[in-house]
Amino acid sequence: MNAITGGSWGGTVISLVAVASIVGCLNGWILLAAQMPYAAARDGLFPRPFARVGKGGVPGFGVWAVAVLGTVLIGLNYTAGPDATFRVLVLITTFTGCVPYLLSAAAQLYWLARGTRERVRPAGLARDLVVAALSFAFSFWLIAGAGYAAVYQGVLFLFAGIPVYVWLRGRRETPDPAAPTAPAAPTAPTGVSTLGA
């Protein structure tokens, strides 16, 4: 960069701009990443602390959890070197980010094949089918391109959330004690035989 600008200031300016961009992206990502567990916690599908908000409506617990988890992942992968750590994190993020897109595209295909075709004009139906199929194929291609290691670790992360979901879902669906119960079967009066009936 210095050779392009003809001095020693070009590389410094580009480095400062890159640092400012990285800090801005990291700040935005941390705030955005906390919104997903916040929404799930509001629906009762994630631990309650993630639904707490502080001043300005910011889910502080989620922000701290995302920051700490990211730091731990960087620390665990740092033994492979900074370049390998960055590559692994990017690939895992690619996988985990594409899974919702893949499932959304599959849900759209299911919705169209389920019987809503009568409600959609033929041109709209063809467009929606093409978009959903291309979205599914593109998401699948990105997941496959992430590599075996990233898919393996990403699947482990997804599976680690299943016990949390099952536990919280089970607690939400506890039977209501005030709900009416089925009436008991009638019993024969005492001293009356039913053998001849």
Side-chain angles (χ1 to χ4, degrees), residues 86-181:
F86 179 76
R87 185 172 62 252
V88 167
L89 291 178
V90 166
L91 292 176
I92 291 175
T93 303
T94 300
F95 169 77
T96 55
C98 286
V99 168
Y101 289 111
L102 182 77
L103 296 177
S104 297
Q108 178 67 12
L109 289 171
Y110 170 80
W111 185 257
L112 292 171
R114 176 83 176 173
T116 58
R117 290 172 288 184
E118 297 82 6
R119 304 179 188 175
V120 183
R121 292 175 303 164
L125 176 63
R127 179 199 61 213
D128 290 348
L129 282 173
V130 169
V131 169
L134 289 177
S135 300
F136 184 88
F138 182 71
S139 301
F140 191 84
W141 175 70
L142 283 179
I143 290 174
Y148 294 110
V151 171
Y152 172 73
Q153 293 183 10
V155 167
L156 290 182
F157 285 135
L158 292 177
F159 283 175
I162 292 177
V164 177
Y165 173 79
V166 170
W167 170 259
L168 293 174
R169 189 72 178 180
R171 290 186 62 187
R172 284 185 63 193
E173 296 181 355
T174 52
D176 187 4
T181 56

Side-chain angles (χ1 to χ4, degrees), residues 56-79:
V58 177
F61 186 85
V63 171
W64 278 106
V66 168
V68 170
L69 180 60
T71 304
V72 169
L73 288 175
I74 291 174
L76 291 175
N77 289 299
Y78 195 74
T79 55

Side-chain angles (χ1 to χ4, degrees), residues 20-62:
S21 176
I22 291 170
V23 170
C25 289
L26 181 61
N27 185 35
W29 174 250
I30 289 175
L31 294 176
L32 176 66
Q35 293 298 321
M36 189 178 296
Y38 169 69
R42 284 181 55 192
D43 292 339
L45 302 176
F46 220 60
R48 288 183 182 175
F50 286 92
R52 296 178 190 157
V53 294
K55 295 180 179 178
V58 177
F61 186 85

